[in-house]
Amino acid sequence: MRIFSGIQPTGRKHLGNYIGAIRQYVHLQDEGDPAIYCVVDLHATTIAYEPAELRRQLYDTTAILLASGLDPARCILFRQSDIPQHTELTWMLAATATAHGDLNRMTQFKEKSAVQRELVSAGLFFYPVLMAADILAYGTDLVPVGDDQRQHLELAREIASKFNSRFSDTFIVPEGRIPDVGARIMDLQNPDKKMSTTASTEAGTIFVLDEPKAIEKKIKSAVTDSGSEVRRGEGKAGISNLIEILAVVKGVSMERIETEFADSRYGDFKTAVAQAVVEYLAPVQAKYAELRDDEAELEAILADGAAKASAIAAPIVAAARDKMGLGRPVA
Ligand code: AMP
Ligand code: TRP
């Protein structure tokens, strides 16, 4: 089973990214044949950015992935812009298998374009086509992502099917893998909105690299709901979010958390969540500190990943080109 996922090198990675996506990447790396993980710097250029900052964040994100447990000996870890097939296939898919109307319906495009101060670029509109190209160029069977990528994934499946029916079977139609618990971690200050790099509040977002004190403060000041019982339910978005976080971090069910804290007050519960999250992230932070400064080593890992990625993507994209009637015919 071939596994592929991508993560943006924008901003600081948060607990939502960790729980919804990175945790899955690590679990799945031995099930992939191979498991392929891509830091999607081309996607990051679709909104305002600084080139030097992009490179720094590329290293930050790579180091976080390695610190979280991705092992370059057991998976392929590479940088999107190192492989020209991603951009080439984006055009091919956009031109022949992507409906303009489908792109127009993408909710992330609507959300992101609404908050752009300067340029709403055509690249931002094409973002889901580039994501489809990432996935399809590797003959991917399974795509681990968080809940917010559901619509993009559905479009990638649609694009693969359209291409296949027009030019004969070329691409595998991928399945998504969205975790049952932890696929949508909410902003601690505004639990009706997902935790995110750009849209959520600073105080409501736990970053993977936050100091223990900051984590404690954010969790202790998390918005809770009226009532005093630690259980999920109507009008209890804040507490439900904390229950979900604690369940994932402890590796137990949400029911188990509710039973365990049935007689606790919100304050004690929050203290337990804070402590568990601090302990959960501590080993990642320690490993990150060891890895981050050696940029030459990070580059070496990415270069090795790019060589392996290229060997997979090049023949798949070449076959698609040939079917489209582009270039010299393949004998
Ligand atoms: P991004 O940082 O936008 O590249 O997202 C990387 C991965 O994290 C994607 O698979 C997202 O679906 C996932 N993700 C982002 N925000 C959250 C969240 N609040 N809860 C769970 N997963 C998330
Ligand atoms: N769009 C995804 C996000 O914002 C990142 C991404 C790019 C991706 N290419 C991908 C995810 C391919 C899965 C597969 O999180």
Side-chain angles (χ1 to χ4, degrees):
M1 177 175 59
R2 194 155 294 164
I3 294 169
F4 184 100
S5 196
I7 185 165
Q8 297 199 68
T10 41
R12 296 164 290 165
K13 295 292 111 179
H14 52 71
L15 191 64
N17 297 134
Y18 193 89
I19 287 179
I22 299 174
R23 181 178 58 111
Q24 296 202 77
Y25 303 171
V26 176
H27 285 158
L28 287 170
Q29 66 185 333
D30 294 318
E31 284 172 46
D33 183 21
I36 308 167
Y37 300 117
C38 179
V39 186
V40 295
D41 55 348
L42 293 167
H43 277 105
T45 65
T46 58
I47 55 172
Y49 77 100
E50 288 295 330
E53 185 66 11
L54 177 59
R55 286 230 165 82
R56 262 196 302 281
Q57 295 189 336
L58 185 288
Y59 293 135
D60 294 347
T61 303
T62 304
I64 284 183
L65 292 172
L66 294 167
S68 303
L70 287 191
D71 175 358
R74 288 147 68 208
C75 70
I76 298 175
L77 175 62
F78 76 105
R79 168 171 49 208
Q80 188 183 34
S81 63
D82 283 340
I83 307 293
Q85 276 80 9
H86 293 244
T87 39
E88 182 183 9
L89 184 58
T90 298
W91 181 258
M92 292 157 57
L93 297 175
T96 64
T98 310
H100 179 273
D102 284 345
L103 289 181
N104 241 340
R105 285 192 292 101
M106 293 292 121
T107 54
Q108 281 209 346
F109 173 72
K110 290 182 199 164
E111 287 162 13
K112 287 187 185 176
S113 58
V115 298
Q116 282 311 296
R117 296 225 184 89
E118 295 160 24
L119 176 75
V120 176
S121 74
L124 186 62
F125 190 66
F126 259 44
Y127 180 112
V129 192
L130 178 57
M131 176 165 160
D134 295 342
I135 297 168
L136 302 184
Y138 293 87
T140 303
D141 300 295
L142 194 73
V143 186
V145 281
D147 182 71
D148 63 352
Q149 296 304 309
R150 211 178 271 279
Q151 195 186 30
H152 287 161
L153 203 63
E154 206 37 59
L155 181 68
R157 290 168 51 84
E158 176 68 27
I159 290 173
S161 305
K162 273 209 177 75
F163 191 100
N164 288 347
S165 57
R166 175 158 174 199
F167 299 108
S168 85
D169 264 358
T170 308
F171 295 116
I172 291 174
V173 180
E175 299 288 336
R177 164 124 159 203
I178 296 171
D180 292 333
V181 182
R184 194 173 178 82
I185 299 298
M186 308 309 276
D187 183 334
L188 302 179
Q189 285 298 318
N190 187 359
D192 297 325
K193 280 181 97 170
K194 68 173 184 187
M195 197 176 276
S196 88
T197 319
T198 44
S200 59
T201 60
E202 177 80 18
T205 308
I206 295 173
F207 295 101
V208 174
L209 301 177
D210 269 349
E211 300 272 337
K213 283 221 165 354
I215 296 175
E216 280 163 17
K217 188 167 174 213
K218 288 174 181 177
I219 293 179
K220 287 190 179 161
S221 49
V223 166
T224 40
D225 330 279
S226 55
S228 58
E229 281 171 71
V230 178
R231 58 169 173 77
R232 291 163 293 161
E234 271 296 295
K236 290 181 77 85
I239 281 293
S240 302
N241 191 39
L242 293 177
I243 291 173
E244 187 153 353
I245 290 172
L246 188 57
V248 170
V249 165
K250 288 234 177 136
V252 300
S253 69
M254 296 195 276
E255 289 74 16
R256 171 95 178 267
I257 299 293
E258 288 169 327
T259 312
E260 194 180 321
F261 290 91
D263 300 323
S264 304
R265 312 189 69 87
Y266 282 173
D268 298 331
F269 173 60
K270 283 178 169 180
T271 305
V273 178
Q275 193 189 344
V277 172
V278 167
E279 282 171 17
Y280 185 63
L281 295 177
V284 180
Q285 297 181 347
K287 193 91 193 100
Y288 176 88
E290 278 171 37
L291 296 168
R292 172 60 181 86
D293 289 339
D294 195 347
E295 293 182 357
E297 175 61 17
L298 297 175
E299 281 294 350
I301 290 169
L302 293 171
D304 181 58
K308 292 177 182 152
S310 176
I312 299 173
I316 293 177
V317 176
R321 270 167 62 89
D322 189 53
K323 292 201 187 176
M324 284 174 61
L326 298 171
R328 178 205 284 218
V330 173

